[in-house]
Amino acid sequence: MPTTAHHATPHTDAPTWTVGDITVHRVDEVPLPPQTGPWLLPGATPEVVAQAPWLQPDFADEQRVLRLASHSFAVDVAGLRVLVDTGIGNGKRRANPAWSNLNSDYLKRLTQAGFAPDSVDLVVLTHLHTDHVGWNTRSDGASWVPTFPNARYLTTRTEWDHWAAVDMDEARRQMFRDSVHPIKDAGLLDLVDVPLDGSAIDIAPGIRLRPTPGHTPGQVAVELSSNGERALITGDCIHHPVQLVDPGLGSCVDTDPAAAARTRRELLGSLSGTGTLLLGSHFPPPTAGHVVPEGDAYRLVPAANAPAREISAT
């Protein structure tokens, strides 16, 4: 595992949180269109949203339609630069019109946060869905090449084996051709074994992968810990804070809805009241918060951004 130290000053507008000595930046790609919520979480009706007034105005609009976003988390751990998920990507043909042929300034934002593509050491892919792997690669005009050529890309063996065995439709095959196979062909992809019994594994100092199956079989959440403080990056085991109101609310693209609901309930129960910072992979701003009990379920208490600070290591 690389341990290169880097020195850069992050863009001060990048939303940032600290977890002990770990710094986490949210790197925005695009807000997702309003129709995303009713499609992705069909059970999260306006009537359900109305049961939790705290969801508005940040997490739902005036009509109680969910707000969602696509972003990455860029994590600095003692100079090791780690990127968790890589969004949708630019210039890629996708079945979802909202995701097709994007032209965002994601790489500019990433660089402004202090993570120039050549400086990234490790890319953690929580799972292999289109909106989590897109910036794995970029076009060089002739082909798709790794965006982060000096990084190791990491996903679970369970996730890889699942998709290798599935008869994928053409849209998913296209995504693998332009965003997954090029990093494998370049020798940059590592598969890690994460037990499905709930045990987390260490991948770097202060960073662990926690199995969160259900949305996909090999999906993981990313745990961060430093100096007694802890955070968890959700991946898609929790798409939106409305699922704290009802952990049984599932996504239309969960491979195993019952397992996904079990994962959510167990995860939220383990986080509730602990002070752990929850960082939602699709949560709109303010994105981060603490899980607290409310009635028979939970709510998210938003956390403030930390002041931007220099990324450095000795």
Side-chain angles (χ1 to χ4, degrees):
M1 196 65 63
T3 57
T4 307
H6 303 284
H7 300 264
T9 301
H11 181 53
T12 55
D13 290 340
T16 302
W17 303 271
T18 56
V19 183
D21 290 332
I22 296 173
T23 303
V24 184
H25 306 274
R26 190 188 75 218
V27 181
D28 294 331
E29 186 176 33
V30 290
L32 298 178
Q35 59 266 34
T36 304
W39 165 74
L40 184 66
L41 297 167
T45 63
E47 292 73 24
V48 170
V49 173
Q51 296 172 17
W54 60 267
L55 289 169
Q56 295 177 276
D58 294 325
F59 303 121
D61 67 16
E62 297 83 356
Q63 286 74 46
R64 303 190 181 108
V65 174
L66 304 183
R67 302 184 194 274
L68 293 117
S70 176
H71 49 247
S72 299
F73 292 106
V75 182
D76 173 56
V77 186
L80 186 73
R81 276 188 168 77
V82 182
L83 190 62
V84 179
D85 288 331
T86 66
I88 298 164
N90 273 4
K92 296 186 172 180
R93 179 166 49 86
R94 295 294 182 247
N96 185 335
W99 297 357
S100 194
N101 293 310
L102 285 187
N103 184 25
S104 77
D105 61 355
Y106 173 87
L107 289 185
K108 178 181 177 182
R109 292 174 184 268
L110 185 67
T111 300
Q112 289 175 330
F115 286 67
D118 287 353
S119 75
V120 174
D121 299 302
L122 178 65
V123 178
V124 177
L125 304 173
T126 60
H127 61 296
L128 299 179
H129 272 173
T130 305
D131 53 329
H132 292 258
V133 302
W135 276 108
N136 286 356
T137 61
R138 59 176 180 81
S139 174
D140 67 357
S143 60
W144 297 103
V145 299
T147 304
F148 311 104
N150 299 317
R152 303 303 303 177
Y153 291 71
L154 184 154
T155 196
T156 71
R157 191 177 307 278
T158 299
E159 186 74 3
W160 180 266
D161 289 348
H162 167 73
W163 294 113
V166 166
D167 183 14
M168 293 186 281
D169 61 21
E170 174 55 24
R172 198 175 299 278
R173 286 197 295 270
Q174 173 64 31
M175 178 270 286
F176 269 78
R177 285 195 297 267
D178 62 39
S179 297
V180 179
H181 290 151
I183 61 171
K184 183 176 185 294
D185 294 344
L188 300 179
L189 181 65
D190 294 332
L191 304 180
V192 294
D193 294 303
V194 178
L196 295 179
D197 63 1
S199 304
I201 67 161
D202 297 318
I203 59 167
I207 305 180
R208 309 179 80 200
L209 301 184
R210 176 172 178 166
T212 52
H215 181 63
T216 65
Q219 179 184 240
V220 291
V222 180
E223 293 184 347
L224 309 173
S225 59
S226 173
N227 293 340
E229 297 182 11
R230 200 161 69 105
L232 184 134
I233 298 172
T234 61
D236 280 358
C237 64
I238 304 172
H239 279 95
H240 189 277
V242 73
Q243 292 172 293
L244 278 66
V245 179
D246 181 357
L249 286 174
S251 161
C252 67
V253 289
D254 289 341
T255 59
D256 187 336
R262 284 195 303 273
T263 289
R264 238 177 341 269
R265 290 190 178 98
E266 292 169 2
L267 182 67
L268 290 168
S270 72
L271 298 177
S272 179
T274 65
T276 299
L277 185 68
L278 186 69
L279 295 156
S281 293
H282 287 297
F283 291 11
T287 305
H290 303 284
V291 179
V292 299
E294 180 157 283
D296 295 331
Y298 310 95
R299 70 176 291 172
L300 189 71
V301 177
N305 293 346
R309 69 186 189 190
E310 185 178 353
I311 301 172
S312 62
T314 56

